[in-house]
Amino acid sequence: MNPVANDRRSPAGEHPTEPLTQHMQRLTQRARAFDRRHPLLWDLHFTGFWVTAALVDYTGGGWRNITHNPDTPGWLLLALSLGLSLPLLRRRTHPTAVLLAMAPFALVNAWSGAALQAALLQLVVVYHIALRLPLRSLWWASALVLTPVAISTARHGEGDWNQQIGSQLTSIVVAALIGVTVRTRRSYTEALEDRARRLEVERDQQARIAAAAERARIAREMHDIIGHNLSVITGLADGGKYAAARSPQRAAQALDAIAATSRQALGELRRLLDVLRDEETAHPAERTPQPGLTDLDRLIDGVRTAGLPVRVTAEGRPALPPGRQLTVYRVVQEALTNTLKHAGPNATAEIALSYGDKGAVTVTVTDTGTSGPAAPADGRGLPGMRERTALYGGTLEAGPRPRPEQGWRVRLHLPEETPQ
């Protein structure tokens, strides 16, 4: 197929030719929007057109071609023409009242034999009844419109009953079907628009929920990274201050440890912030894996360097997926951080790791602090640990050790992985 044939462009070759259906649809939408803004203006134009048509039929003598009574008085013809057309002004808001107002004029029109064609305007009202009112209203509306036809046929005797009644009934059915079709189409369009609005609201809600979850995750990660490393740096600085007077070499080692811990914290923080940058302006983030069980030794060494003695015991074979390893790492990190900050001097810590089958693991971190709880009630540490634990259906217990023992205990248990 020639590609040029598919390139629908104007003769100037600048803009594509718009299909006629889309052009008409856009014009229709504009007309409907104008009608919604100015309904009375449209009703005046519509009614004025049919009033003019009815008066032209009366003044031009066109009614004489089908009338049964050519001697009908002019004043009656004028009254009938206006009575059958002027009520159309309220056809959309009060179609029942309009049809009832037109009924006496339609009956006089049939009884007198004038047979003005303006009586057909009742079909416009039938259309609006089908469009706006319950469909059962069409029964009495049809009877009201058919009654003048029956009177005219019985009084003037021209034409067959079946022909006269059948013709009018067909017209009523067509008007009603058009109204029902437009009504169905409007209901369908409104349902689609309502569904689109609900989907848009749901999309916005999901976006807000996702943003809130991401903010919570980022806050949790920043708390774990910054809180732990600052606690280690604080402990190293305190130890270096006391060692400076007695052992300059120990003070230098503390400064080296502070520098190494600071660089590590900055690196982790930079990787986290790289994720938050705009994709078009950010440099590719370093793809350093999240910490796991293999990083526990380095974590514990840093805590020991900061002045907290830590003893570690392990049972079983560590075979955990990366997500569970990160949870174990962060819980141990947070527990040791709280011990550094709140357990006081001369405190010690113990970590007990017990690995089970299919990813099950139990971690217990205890300390011998004497200066109160090792975790503030209003901090982010415990909520963050519980959130991580809940991801795998685990349990987290944190509280003071039972008397007479002193200190704090954090116990994490992750059950076996369930097959998906």
Side-chain angles (χ1 to χ4, degrees):
M1 184 178 292
N2 186 0
V4 178
N6 291 331
D7 188 12
R8 298 180 299 175
R9 296 183 176 273
S10 61
E14 296 179 355
H15 303 286
T17 303
E18 184 179 24
L20 180 60
T21 54
Q22 294 183 7
H23 180 69
M24 295 301 298
Q25 185 178 11
R26 191 172 70 253
L27 291 179
T28 302
Q29 292 175 350
R30 289 181 178 177
R32 289 176 177 173
F34 180 83
D35 182 33
R36 285 193 294 269
R37 293 192 302 268
H38 311 284
L40 182 59
L41 185 61
W42 168 251
D43 289 340
L44 287 173
H45 280 80
F46 184 86
T47 305
F49 172 82
W50 289 113
V51 169
T52 302
L55 293 178
V56 168
D57 182 54
Y58 154 62
T59 58
W63 62 279
R64 295 181 182 276
N65 297 326
I66 60 173
T67 186
H68 303 300
N69 182 13
D71 298 327
T72 304
W75 63 268
L76 182 59
L77 293 174
L78 178 61
L80 293 176
S81 298
L82 295 177
L84 292 170
S85 57
L86 279 177
L88 291 178
L89 183 64
R90 309 295 292 177
R91 73 198 183 282
R92 293 198 288 185
T93 56
H94 302 84
T96 301
V98 169
L99 190 62
L100 292 175
M102 297 171 70
F105 296 94
L107 292 173
V108 173
N109 181 54
W111 183 267
S112 65
L116 293 178
Q117 297 185 69
L120 296 176
L121 294 178
Q122 294 177 102
L123 298 176
V124 176
V125 186
V126 171
Y127 161 80
H128 283 280
I129 290 176
L131 182 63
R132 290 176 169 83
L133 300 182
L135 295 182
R136 61 178 179 270
S137 302
L138 290 173
W139 293 107
W140 67 263
S142 301
L144 199 61
V145 175
L146 286 174
T147 300
V149 178
I151 292 176
S152 178
T153 303
R155 179 172 172 77
H156 302 286
E158 293 187 9
D160 183 72
W161 274 85
N162 293 333
Q163 180 181 1
Q164 296 293 330
I165 299 297
S167 176
Q168 186 69 0
L169 184 60
T170 301
S171 300
I172 294 173
V173 170
V174 170
L177 286 178
I178 295 175
V180 171
T181 302
V182 175
R183 179 178 187 168
T184 304
R185 180 64 179 177
R186 286 185 180 178
S187 300
Y188 177 70
T189 303
E190 291 174 357
L192 289 179
E193 292 176 350
D194 179 68
R195 182 171 182 269
R197 284 192 296 268
R198 286 189 284 107
L199 288 175
E200 185 176 357
V201 171
E202 182 179 353
R203 180 201 63 192
D204 294 340
Q205 290 176 344
Q206 293 294 333
R208 287 194 292 269
I209 293 173
E214 186 65 12
R215 285 195 298 269
R217 185 189 69 82
I218 293 170
R220 186 171 60 236
E221 293 292 337
M222 293 186 69
H223 172 271
D224 292 340
I225 293 171
I226 297 176
H228 171 75
N229 287 285
L230 286 180
S231 297
V232 172
I233 290 172
T234 301
L236 291 170
D238 290 340
K241 181 178 66 174
Y242 290 111
R246 300 179 181 180
S247 176
Q249 184 179 1
R250 294 288 300 276
Q253 292 175 355
L255 291 175
D256 291 339
I258 290 174
T261 304
S262 300
R263 282 192 293 270
Q264 178 184 351
L266 286 174
E268 294 183 10
L269 186 59
R270 187 178 296 111
R271 284 191 294 271
L272 181 61
L273 295 178
D274 281 343
V275 179
L276 303 180
R277 291 186 183 178
D278 186 73
E279 294 181 358
E280 297 180 358
T281 60
H283 298 290
E286 297 182 27
R287 300 187 180 275
T288 303
Q290 291 278 26
L293 296 179
T294 57
D295 300 293
L296 278 177
D297 292 338
R298 186 175 61 180
L299 172 69
I300 294 170
D301 289 341
V303 173
R304 286 170 177 163
T305 304
L308 176 66
V310 181
R311 187 165 67 93
V312 182
T313 60
E315 296 180 2
R317 181 182 176 184
L320 303 179
R324 292 186 172 226
Q325 291 190 36
L326 176 62
T327 299
V328 172
Y329 180 91
R330 293 302 189 195
V331 168
V332 172
Q333 182 187 53
E334 179 62 25
L336 293 178
T337 300
N338 288 333
T339 299
L340 279 172
K341 293 194 296 185
H342 306 288
N346 303 321
T348 61
E350 182 178 351
I351 302 173
L353 300 168
S354 178
Y355 301 104
D357 297 330
K358 300 181 181 179
V361 61
T362 300
V363 181
T364 304
V365 182
T366 58
D367 64 61
T368 59
T370 58
S371 61
D378 58 348
R380 291 181 176 269
L382 286 178
M385 288 192 289
R386 290 195 173 95
E387 289 172 3
R388 292 181 185 277
T389 305
L391 291 176
Y392 300 98
T395 58
L396 181 79
E397 300 173 4
R401 299 170 67 184
R403 295 185 180 277
E405 297 178 338
Q406 292 182 332
W408 196 265
R409 184 185 71 170
V410 175
R411 184 179 183 275
L412 165 71
H413 174 70
L414 299 182
E416 296 182 356
E417 290 186 279
T418 56
Q420 299 296 328

